[in-house]
């Protein structure tokens, strides 16, 4: 997944780790899609919420795996 030239991700949040930066960009796009859908339909889409939660789970698993591989401790 590549970062779009029309990025929603603020530049200070770019980490320089392509896989994580792309996932962060996708999270911002998913939230924006959820917001737009809610504003247009007047309801909160269960499908979009579940998709976002599943993607967040995948993302945090990826971050954890990368951190473990590089011996980064997040608890500090």
């Amino acid at each position: 997944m590549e970062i779009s030239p029309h990025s929603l991700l603020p530049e200070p949040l770019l980490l320089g780790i392509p896989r994580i930066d792309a996932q962060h960009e996708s999270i911002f796009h998913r939230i924006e899609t959820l917001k737009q859908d809610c504003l247009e339909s007047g309801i909160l889409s269960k499908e979009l919420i579940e998709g976002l939660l599943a993607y967040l789970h995948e993302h945090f698993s990826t971050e954890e795996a990368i951190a473990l591989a590089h011996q980064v401790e997040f608890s500090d």
Side-chain angles (χ1 to χ4, degrees):
M1 178 184 306
E2 292 184 23
I3 295 177
S4 163
H6 300 76
S7 179
L8 294 173
L9 183 65
E11 193 169 326
L13 295 181
L14 290 172
L15 300 177
I17 304 169
R19 186 172 178 191
I20 297 298
D21 288 341
Q23 287 183 354
H24 286 165
E25 178 67 23
S26 181
I27 290 166
F28 273 73
H29 277 280
R30 287 168 183 265
I31 292 169
E32 185 63 22
T33 298
L34 178 64
K35 180 181 87 174
Q36 290 299 321
D37 183 72
C38 187
L39 290 172
E40 290 172 9
S41 70
I43 60 170
L44 192 56
S45 167
K46 181 179 178 184
E47 180 180 317
L48 290 176
I49 290 287
E50 288 174 347
L52 175 59
L53 291 174
Y55 193 80
L56 287 170
H57 178 74
E58 176 186 333
H59 168 68
F60 291 129
S61 294
T62 300
E63 283 190 340
E64 181 179 26
I66 290 171
L68 288 172
H70 290 89
Q71 300 178 342
V72 174
E73 179 57 52
F74 279 147
S75 64
D76 293 341

